[in-house]
């Protein structure tokens, strides 16, 4: 990415960090510029210009993500469904003081795009919240359509699906990690057993997929973050706010302090030629 004079609100320190530089823990916690919100949706505020204005005023650099995938299966406004869509989107963001990303939808999103087009992005983020039920139907776990009859059976399938998302898609970041449908939220502590958490952490480490520290849902738990860090996983910050809270990374800041995260623990976009879509073999 090209750094222009308009990048100035993001200090050199922030840029160094974004480029993979190492900061001490206090520096990360005290320097809001050092934090990047890699989960900033344009629909949070309507236009890209308004979004970048919030980025400037909050002193938080944004990684902008637009939903991307099969248009027949995923009905998001502004969804990118082809190389042509992706190229138009990239052109809109070109030269702007933000990273260019997508939120990939469904396991089959790569079928809608060429590798060459995806490699022009700074990064790809995805999550496991659109969950394939036994009958093949897709259930949006954050909506009331998520009805869980057997929590244990669900957890086994959901853990496996998280691992599948990490292993089979050429993604940089797993967003909304360890999210649970509302009905199960209160049992999160017991449902996320050490063994289930380990499976996800190990898959992320082995595939070099970063885990998002999500301020909207205050996820994942410090317990999981510690375990993932020990496995060698890196972290990104995300607001996933569809409103003015975009760029608010309170939970991320808390976790930086609680875990003493340093620049070394944090995600930065892979350079050209080393993007997951370029280096990971399709499964
Ligand atoms: Zn999102």
């Amino acid at each position: 990415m090209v750094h222009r004079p308009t990048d100035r609100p993001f200090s050199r320190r922030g840029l160094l960090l974004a480029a993979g530089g190492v900061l001490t823990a206090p520096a990360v916690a005290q320097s809001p510029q050092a934090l990047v919100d890699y989960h900033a949706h344009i629909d949070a505020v309507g236009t890209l210009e308004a979004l970048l204005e919030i980025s400037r005023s909050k002193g938080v650099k944004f990684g902008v993500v637009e939903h991307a995938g099969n248009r027949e299966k995923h009905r998001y406004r502004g969804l990118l469904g082809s190389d042509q869509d992706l190229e138009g989107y990239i052109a809109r963001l070109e030269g702007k003081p933000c990273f260019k990303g997508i939120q990939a939808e469904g396991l089959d999103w790569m079928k809608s795009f060429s590798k060459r087009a995806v490699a022009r992005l700074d990064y790809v983020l995805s999550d496991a919240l659109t969950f394939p039920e036994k009958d093949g139907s897709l259930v949006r776990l954050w909506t009331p359509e998520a009805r869980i009859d057997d929590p244990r059976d669900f957890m086994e399938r959901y853990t496996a699906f998280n691992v599948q998302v990490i292993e089979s898609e050429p993604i940089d970041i797993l967003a909304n990690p360890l999210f649970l449908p509302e009905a199960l939220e209160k049992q999160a502590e017991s449902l996320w057993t050490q063994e289930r958490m380990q499976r996800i952490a190990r898959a992320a480490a082995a595939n070099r997929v970063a885990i998002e520290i999500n301020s909207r849902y205050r996820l994942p738990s410090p317990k999981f973050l510690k375990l993932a860090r020990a496995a060698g996983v890196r972290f990104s910050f995300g607001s996933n706010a569809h409103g003015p809270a975009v760029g608010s990374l309170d939970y991320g800041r808390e976790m930086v302090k609680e875990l003493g995260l340093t620049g070394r623990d944090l995600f930065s976009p892979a350079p050209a030629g080393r993007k997951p879509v370029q280096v990971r073999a399709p499964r």
Side-chain angles (χ1 to χ4, degrees):
M1 92 156 250
V2 181
H3 297 303
R4 294 159 192 268
T6 49
D7 278 347
R8 269 192 54 245
F10 312 108
S11 69
R12 186 167 162 65
R13 226 159 147 217
L15 293 176
L16 272 176
L17 184 74
V22 176
L23 288 179
T24 61
V28 173
Q30 285 161 19
S31 168
Q33 297 95 324
L35 299 191
V36 177
D37 181 353
Y38 283 104
H39 200 154
H41 285 286
I42 298 181
D43 69 6
V45 285
T47 66
L48 179 61
E49 288 63 35
L51 190 71
L52 294 175
E53 184 49 45
I54 293 182
S55 165
R56 263 187 296 275
S57 67
K58 291 192 178 177
V60 172
K61 185 162 177 165
F62 286 173
V64 178
V65 289
E66 189 62 273
H67 296 277
N70 185 322
R71 223 181 257 122
E72 302 306 311
K73 296 185 192 166
H74 308 281
R75 310 234 167 235
Y76 291 95
R77 191 158 47 91
L79 181 106
L80 309 170
S82 65
D83 270 8
Q84 201 184 351
D85 290 353
L86 201 51
E87 275 154 18
Y89 170 69
I90 290 169
R92 254 175 90 201
L93 297 183
E94 199 62 60
K96 300 284 198 290
C98 61
F99 292 110
K100 303 185 265 298
I102 53 170
Q103 176 160 0
E105 297 298 330
L107 291 169
D108 60 351
W109 61 274
M110 270 304 295
K111 290 194 181 133
S112 301
F113 309 103
S114 67
K115 283 187 179 188
R116 188 191 49 80
V118 173
R120 289 188 57 211
L121 294 161
D122 290 310
Y123 67 100
V124 177
L125 161 155
S126 189
D127 66 28
L129 270 56
T130 306
F131 178 67
E133 257 307 334
K134 286 174 182 163
D135 64 0
S137 63
L138 295 176
V139 179
R140 294 169 301 166
L141 296 181
W142 69 99
T143 70
E145 57 185 50
R147 280 200 212 98
I148 317 289
D149 303 324
D150 180 346
R152 253 194 228 164
D153 171 66
F154 168 79
M155 287 307 290
E156 279 311 303
R157 289 183 294 122
Y158 185 46
T159 303
F161 181 58
N162 272 270
V163 170
Q164 189 184 9
V165 167
I166 291 168
E167 286 184 342
S168 66
E169 299 181 36
I171 59 172
D172 297 81
I173 297 171
L174 181 74
N176 304 312
L178 275 59
F179 177 92
L180 286 181
E182 210 178 336
L184 299 183
E185 248 176 47
K186 288 203 176 77
Q187 305 164 59
E189 177 89 28
S190 62
L191 291 176
W192 282 119
T193 60
Q194 189 85 357
E195 191 266 335
R196 287 176 185 139
M197 291 196 293
Q198 283 287 13
R199 274 158 66 192
I200 294 174
R202 281 200 205 109
N207 293 281
R208 302 182 59 80
V209 171
I211 299 279
E212 175 179 270
I213 304 180
N214 184 291
S215 287
R216 176 176 180 180
Y217 299 119
R218 297 181 63 81
L219 286 174
S221 65
K223 204 165 161 187
F224 177 77
L225 288 170
K226 282 174 196 160
L227 188 141
R229 190 190 196 191
V233 172
R234 288 175 310 154
F235 306 109
S236 66
F237 303 103
S239 67
N240 188 20
H242 294 261
V246 64
S248 298
L249 300 174
D250 298 352
Y251 185 62
R253 286 197 178 85
E254 283 170 40
M255 290 304 108
V256 164
K257 273 191 209 152
E258 184 164 339
L259 278 82
L261 298 180
T262 72
R264 237 187 288 248
D265 295 304
L266 303 185
F267 165 81
S268 58
R274 285 168 54 197
K275 309 268 177 211
V277 71
Q278 295 170 315
V279 298
R280 282 181 55 178
R283 295 199 189 205

